[in-house]
Amino acid sequence: MPRLLLLLPALTYRAEAFLKAAQKINVNLTVGSEDPVHPFGPAFSNWLRLDFSNLEATTAVAVEFAKTNPIDAVVGVNDNTTVFAAMISEALNLPHNSVSSVLAARNKHRMRQILKSHGLPTPQFSVCAIDENPEVVLPRLNFPCVVKPLTLSASCGVIRVDDPQGFREAFARVRTLLKKLGLQDREEAGRQILIEDFLPGVEVAVEGLLTNGALRVLAIFDKPDPLDGPFFEETIYVTPSRFPPETQNQIGETLAQAALALGLREGPIHGELRINQKGIWVIEVAARSIGGRCSQTLRFSTGLSLEELILRHALRMNLSTLEREAKPAGVMMLPIRQGGILERIEGQEKAFKVAGIEELTITAQPGDLLVPLPEGTRYLGFLVARGESPEEVELALREAHRHLHVVVSPASPERQSSTPRFGVIQV
Ligand code: ADP
């Protein structure tokens, strides 16, 4: 039986789906994580303690382990663990993305530089240190523009600004956020802020799988809610896309070019792209699968989940006959609109009863401090729906969401200034 090393960070929505997938395929599973008891999963009997803050040391531990327990595939589930997966795979001579390509995909500035140098449509951008004087940066900017951290996800810290005063405020806000999350002490990218021209348009998310550099598009999700800022709350994703087939092909081609430019060659990728009269623009490409519980929307022939597909691909099992189930599906990432302490969420039963709703998962717990964007790092939960058409799916998600009523109480000033109880959940 092949052995899979699955790298699970402590804080991820993705653990459950990957653990379930590993149980379903015939594989000898070793979980590499920092703790044997995962907050989102069971205690692991087959467990390797790994430190996800030290790339070299962790690679050495995994290589040592592989001497007595030969490993056939290493899979990371989020932006950080995919870097470790690449490094360990390289050391074990397994098919993998280069470490530099995965690092580029998780650094928004590096990614912009690479996409630009490969001639892909790129907004004008510049980077500055968090302790730089914003007045010095101002003359370089066009308005509107977007201010963002280099390595966060889920739109955390991403702010559109329309004028110099807006920039001063957003800059200070992102600087405070990076300090609060402790990112500035961890890496240089945590001490930097990226500013890029705002790209108008509509947005799609694309799920893809790379094999030896060739991209297979697994799904294109439309994002029907406008994403014009000042903050960029992710809400509804619906697939299949309502864009005409030619546009969908161009979206796939643009993502493939971006992956090639970054040097990504193996495994899942997740892209966010904007479409306007001037073309198709890559907002970002991550060397991992879709975050949250959004993968629940995707099912492949014989009922395979996205995670099973990813693990099978990593283990070089045959996937040639796999088709995605055609039935339209969608997910709503339940946004946090009001800050405070979560008391309860009313209307769950009604929301779940809406025709087409297949799943309602509340991931926030009563007593949690809820923080809205742009400082927030997590969602309230997820709604998943299926229907006869993308329109029907979208309507079901909206109707179900209307039934949910989030009751919060004010947080004390000490609680408000505390670091998040769960740290930064890596989507
Ligand atoms: P994250 O990895 O945190 O999601 P992104 O860079 O993908 O950060 O930005 C989050 C969202 O902000 C995007 O999905 C998009 O809606 C919006 N956004 C980011 N950059 C731009 C831009 N240059 N122009 C317009 N919208 C943007």
Side-chain angles (χ1 to χ4, degrees), residues 137-138 141-148 157-174 193-199 228-232 374:
V137 184
L138 262 171
L141 307 183
N142 304 311
F143 291 104
C145 60
V146 175
V147 173
K148 57 170 99 166
V158 182
I159 307 175
R160 170 186 164 150
V161 295
D162 293 319
D163 51 40
Q165 187 49 25
F167 173 70
R168 290 182 193 105
E169 286 163 19
F171 188 87
R173 212 163 164 173
V174 177
I193 294 179
L194 180 68
I195 306 129
E196 55 190 40
D197 286 359
F198 174 80
L199 298 165
D228 293 326
F231 313 131
F232 297 89

Side-chain angles (χ1 to χ4, degrees), residues 6-191:
L6 180 66
L7 307 183
L8 288 185
L11 303 161
T12 174
Y13 294 115
R14 306 289 291 124
E16 201 183 319
F18 271 103
L19 288 170
K20 215 161 147 189
Q23 273 164 9
K24 276 179 76 182
I25 61 177
N26 218 7
V27 71
N28 201 333
L29 172 70
T30 298
V31 171
S33 69
E34 295 185 319
D35 204 300
V37 184
H38 197 278
F40 294 91
F44 309 125
S45 52
N46 219 343
W47 172 64
L48 182 65
R49 182 192 289 277
L50 296 176
D51 171 4
F52 293 135
S53 63
N54 189 330
L55 198 51
E56 280 74 26
T58 292
T59 304
V61 170
V63 168
E64 195 53 39
F65 173 81
K67 284 183 185 160
T68 44
N69 306 272
I71 294 171
D72 299 281
V74 188
V75 172
V77 306
N78 69 335
D79 289 330
N80 189 37
T81 49
T82 48
V83 180
F84 285 78
M87 183 94 162
I88 297 168
S89 299
E90 187 167 290
L92 296 177
N93 223 358
L94 299 170
H96 65 287
N97 283 321
S98 67
V99 177
S100 62
S101 68
V102 182
L103 284 172
R106 70 174 294 251
N107 179 317
K108 296 179 203 294
H109 178 225
R110 183 86 195 102
M111 189 171 58
R112 282 278 172 254
Q113 288 174 316
I114 293 175
L115 298 185
K116 186 176 175 197
S117 71
H118 282 75
L120 271 104
T122 306
Q124 262 197 52
F125 62 93
S126 65
V127 73
C128 60
I130 52 172
D131 47 19
E132 208 161 319
N133 180 352
E135 302 305 323
V136 178
V137 184
L138 262 171
R140 313 205 284 261
L141 307 183
N142 304 311
F143 291 104
C145 60
V146 175
V147 173
K148 57 170 99 166
L150 273 57
T151 58
L152 286 177
S153 51
S155 303
C156 180
V158 182
I159 307 175
R160 170 186 164 150
V161 295
D162 293 319
D163 51 40
Q165 187 49 25
F167 173 70
R168 290 182 193 105
E169 286 163 19
F171 188 87
R173 212 163 164 173
V174 177
R175 176 170 45 199
T176 307
L177 175 70
L178 291 173
K179 286 185 178 169
K180 185 172 171 184
L181 296 177
L183 294 185
Q184 52 154 14
D185 307 324
R186 259 182 256 164
E187 51 184 341
E188 199 194 345
R191 295 186 289 277

Side-chain angles (χ1 to χ4, degrees), residues 79-360:
D79 289 330
N80 189 37
T81 49
T82 48
V83 180
F84 285 78
M87 183 94 162
I88 297 168
S89 299
E90 187 167 290
L92 296 177
N93 223 358
L94 299 170
H96 65 287
N97 283 321
S98 67
V99 177
S100 62
S101 68
V102 182
L103 284 172
R106 70 174 294 251
N107 179 317
K108 296 179 203 294
H109 178 225
R110 183 86 195 102
M111 189 171 58
R112 282 278 172 254
Q113 288 174 316
I114 293 175
L115 298 185
K116 186 176 175 197
S117 71
H118 282 75
L120 271 104
T122 306
Q124 262 197 52
F125 62 93
S126 65
V127 73
C128 60
I130 52 172
D131 47 19
E132 208 161 319
N133 180 352
E135 302 305 323
V136 178
V137 184
L138 262 171
R140 313 205 284 261
L141 307 183
N142 304 311
F143 291 104
C145 60
V146 175
V147 173
K148 57 170 99 166
L150 273 57
T151 58
L152 286 177
S153 51
S155 303
C156 180
V158 182
I159 307 175
R160 170 186 164 150
V161 295
D162 293 319
D163 51 40
Q165 187 49 25
F167 173 70
R168 290 182 193 105
E169 286 163 19
F171 188 87
R173 212 163 164 173
V174 177
R175 176 170 45 199
T176 307
L177 175 70
L178 291 173
K179 286 185 178 169
K180 185 172 171 184
L181 296 177
L183 294 185
Q184 52 154 14
D185 307 324
R186 259 182 256 164
E187 51 184 341
E188 199 194 345
R191 295 186 289 277
Q192 293 179 325
I193 294 179
L194 180 68
I195 306 129
E196 55 190 40
D197 286 359
F198 174 80
L199 298 165
V202 285
E203 199 164 308
V204 291
V206 188
E207 205 59 16
L209 188 69
L210 289 166
T211 307
N212 208 8
L215 176 69
R216 180 163 159 189
V217 173
L218 301 175
I220 300 181
F221 292 90
D222 288 339
K223 303 187 185 188
D225 282 335
L227 284 158
D228 293 326
F231 313 131
F232 297 89
E233 186 177 90
E234 296 274 27
T235 50
I236 295 180
Y237 279 28
V238 180
T239 189
S241 169
R242 284 166 260 182
F243 274 109
E246 334 59 281
T247 313
Q248 295 195 32
N249 285 340
Q250 287 163 4
I251 291 168
E253 274 163 28
T254 309
L255 182 62
Q257 285 165 10
L260 185 70
L262 291 166
L264 296 171
R265 295 184 61 78
E266 285 299 330
I269 57 171
H270 178 77
E272 311 278 345
L273 297 95
R274 278 206 165 210
I275 299 129
N276 60 27
Q277 288 103 331
K278 291 195 182 155
I280 298 178
W281 307 71
V282 173
I283 296 285
E284 71 167 350
V285 182
R288 56 159 169 83
S289 54
I290 193 166
R293 294 183 65 89
C294 304
S295 69
Q296 293 295 108
T297 51
L298 303 179
R299 284 196 302 233
F300 299 85
S301 37
T302 66
L304 224 70
S305 67
L306 176 67
E307 292 75 16
E308 279 173 81
L309 187 143
I310 291 168
L311 298 186
R312 284 173 164 271
H313 169 266
L315 290 160
R316 289 293 184 265
M317 293 174 174
N318 185 15
L319 294 172
S320 59
T321 57
L322 272 190
E323 287 295 325
R324 185 161 64 79
E325 212 182 81
K327 189 163 184 177
V331 60
M332 181 170 195
M333 289 154 254
L334 298 174
I336 292 176
R337 299 238 158 103
Q338 193 193 344
I341 304 297
L342 177 64
E343 296 287 333
R344 61 191 178 279
I345 300 179
E346 295 170 351
Q348 294 186 43
E349 213 167 302
K350 274 190 182 161
F352 187 61
K353 279 192 182 144
V354 169
I357 295 296
E358 212 176 74
E359 181 185 315
L360 167 61

